[in-house]
């Protein structure tokens, strides 16, 4: 299993440039690039500099995070979303980063049927654009009660319905745990449909009460990560694990400290089930 760093973990004090330098120093295999950090980077640097960096270093880009709230958008917002997708696909082609995380919208009142139809329609539509660049879309459900897609089973059903080779999903342990997704649903999943695996842990809050700021380093919270990793091993998923934390406390740490500790904590649990 390859180890990846998701830049949300150092949201406040770091930059793409610094994340790359530190992740390289601590031996991460991959980085998930945040689109906001990419845009900041491009204020002062060129895409060519990024190309050169990845050519000269072992660490490689794995995915972009994230195109958010892709469903139930008005005409103007949807057009902007498609423009953003096209831009990210173009950057992805240059730096050989061929996955983009896409996130459903929030809002209550839609039926599950309406959500499935809208989400499948949008994923198909965006996938046509991404396909031209050989880019894959990784759909990430969010384990909040008011997210339109908030369990593994609901997300998996949608991507199976879309049934395109360039549309899969993100399995994020935090989102999986927070709305009580079922391990049986993961057990029956096709590992090839899991494009990205986000690893993290959570504080001990009731179902529906967890928010991203309650994330913890792997092994420090209440999520049964052993069960999830065991299940991934059983179904044959072994591509990568990306550490993704949105905890303000960690954002206040020096980036080097969290990047170093996150790697150690992630490897400690991963290596119980997979070779690194
Ligand atoms: Zn995630």
């Amino acid at each position: 299993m390859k180890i990846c760093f998701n830049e949300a973990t150092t949201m406040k004090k770091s930059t793409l440039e610094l994340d790359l330098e530190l992740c390289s120093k601590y031996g991460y295999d991959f980085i998930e690039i945040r689109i906001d950090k990419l845009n900041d980077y491009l204020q002062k640097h060129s895409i060519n500099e990024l190309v050169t960096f990845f050519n000269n270093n072992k660490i490689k880009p794995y995915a972009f995070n994230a195109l958010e709230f892709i469903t139930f958008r008005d005409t103007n917002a949807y057009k902007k979303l498609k423009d953003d997708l096209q831009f990210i696909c173009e950057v992805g082609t240059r730096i050989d980063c061929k996955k983009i995380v896409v996130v459903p919208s929030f809002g209550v009142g839609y039926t599950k049927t309406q959500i499935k139809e809208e989400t499948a329609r949008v994923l198909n539509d965006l996938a046509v654009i991404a396909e031209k660049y050989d880019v894959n879309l990784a759909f990430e459900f969010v384990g909040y009660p008011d997210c339109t897609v908030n369990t593994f089973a609901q997300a998996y059903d949608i991507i199976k319905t879309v049934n395109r080779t360039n549309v899969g999903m993100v399995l994020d342990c935090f989102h999986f745990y927070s709305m009580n997704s079922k391990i049986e649903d993961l057990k029956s999943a096709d590992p090839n449909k899991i494009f990205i695996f986000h690893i993290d842990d959570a504080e001990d809050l009731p179902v529906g009460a967890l928010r991203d700021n309650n994330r913890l380093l792997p092994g420090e919270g209440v999520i049964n990560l052993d069960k999830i990793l065991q299940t991934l091993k059983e179904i044959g998923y072994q591509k990568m694990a990306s550490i993704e934390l949105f905890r303000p406390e960690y954002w206040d740490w020096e980036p080097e400290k969290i990047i170093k500790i996150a790697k150690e904590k992630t490897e400690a649990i991963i290596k119980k089930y997979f070779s690194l």
Side-chain angles (χ1 to χ4, degrees):
M1 187 88 95
K2 302 288 187 192
I3 305 295
C4 180
F5 181 77
N6 184 298
E7 286 197 283
T9 309
T10 51
M11 197 98 93
K12 204 163 130 188
K13 283 191 169 177
S14 196
T15 60
L16 175 55
E17 199 174 14
L18 184 58
D19 286 340
L20 285 170
E21 179 193 320
L22 293 170
C23 287
S24 201
K25 176 177 175 183
Y26 287 96
Y28 283 86
D29 301 294
F30 293 116
I31 187 165
E32 282 189 89
I33 296 173
R34 274 192 65 89
I35 295 169
D36 50 2
K37 282 188 178 175
L38 172 70
N39 287 330
D40 287 347
Y41 177 90
L42 292 176
Q43 299 294 315
K44 288 185 187 161
H45 305 268
S46 67
I47 296 174
N48 273 340
E49 284 177 69
L50 260 188
V51 173
T52 304
F53 176 86
F54 287 119
N55 281 341
N56 293 334
N57 288 275
K58 195 172 152 277
I59 190 168
K60 300 297 173 214
Y62 200 82
F64 296 100
N65 283 240
L67 289 176
E68 295 184 320
F69 319 133
I70 60 170
T71 43
F72 301 105
R73 303 291 292 257
D74 65 34
T75 310
N76 286 341
Y78 193 61
K79 185 184 177 306
K80 164 95 171 53
L81 178 75
K82 286 200 199 180
D83 290 345
D84 289 348
L85 171 62
Q86 188 131 354
F87 171 69
I88 296 302
C89 286
E90 283 163 11
V91 177
T93 301
R94 297 281 304 282
I95 64 171
D96 195 25
C97 182
K98 295 302 186 83
K99 289 184 178 57
I100 304 174
V101 175
V102 294
V103 179
S105 293
F106 287 57
V108 290
Y110 305 110
T111 65
K112 281 202 255 182
T113 304
Q114 287 171 328
I115 292 166
K116 183 173 173 178
E117 281 173 8
E118 165 70 357
T119 311
R121 179 190 71 78
V122 168
L123 284 172
N124 264 311
D125 199 27
L126 300 181
V128 170
I129 297 171
E131 216 161 46
K132 292 181 195 142
Y133 298 87
D134 195 24
V135 164
N136 299 311
L137 302 179
F139 181 61
E140 182 167 22
F141 68 94
V142 176
Y144 289 16
D146 59 341
C147 186
T148 52
V149 183
N150 59 19
T151 64
F152 183 89
Q154 190 191 3
Y156 192 73
D157 177 48
I158 291 167
I159 59 125
K160 288 299 277 186
T161 300
V162 170
N163 193 27
R164 301 181 80 107
T165 52
N166 74 328
V167 176
M169 62 189 290
V170 179
L171 166 61
D172 182 316
C173 298
F174 176 88
H175 294 312
F176 189 87
Y177 173 80
S178 61
M179 283 297 287
N180 252 346
S181 286
K182 302 281 173 284
I183 203 78
E184 293 72 33
D185 293 323
L186 179 57
K187 269 185 187 152
S188 56
D190 174 358
N192 297 314
K193 282 291 172 193
I194 299 171
F195 286 0
I196 295 173
F197 172 52
H198 285 166
I199 191 161
D200 35 49
D201 213 328
E203 292 178 70
D204 190 14
L205 274 71
V207 173
L210 281 163
R211 297 295 177 270
D212 277 327
N213 61 297
N214 301 118
R215 289 175 184 235
L216 289 167
L217 283 157
E220 298 201 343
V222 296
I223 301 178
N224 193 341
L225 294 174
D226 287 285
K227 195 160 210 172
I228 293 173
L229 290 167
Q230 181 66 49
T231 304
L232 287 174
K233 192 180 169 81
E234 278 168 28
I235 66 173
Y237 175 91
Q238 54 177 6
K239 273 179 279 191
M240 56 81 89
S242 184
I243 176 90
E244 185 191 41
L245 308 169
F246 285 86
R247 190 176 183 82
E249 180 192 345
Y250 302 151
W251 290 341
D252 284 335
W253 292 7
E254 285 309 310
E256 180 155 7
K257 178 179 168 187
I258 185 68
I259 284 172
K260 179 176 185 286
I261 294 176
K263 175 105 177 331
E264 291 166 358
K265 295 269 183 187
T266 302
E267 282 184 345
I269 190 149
I270 294 288
K271 74 181 180 195
K272 289 162 72 179
Y273 301 92
F274 299 93
S275 55
L276 295 169

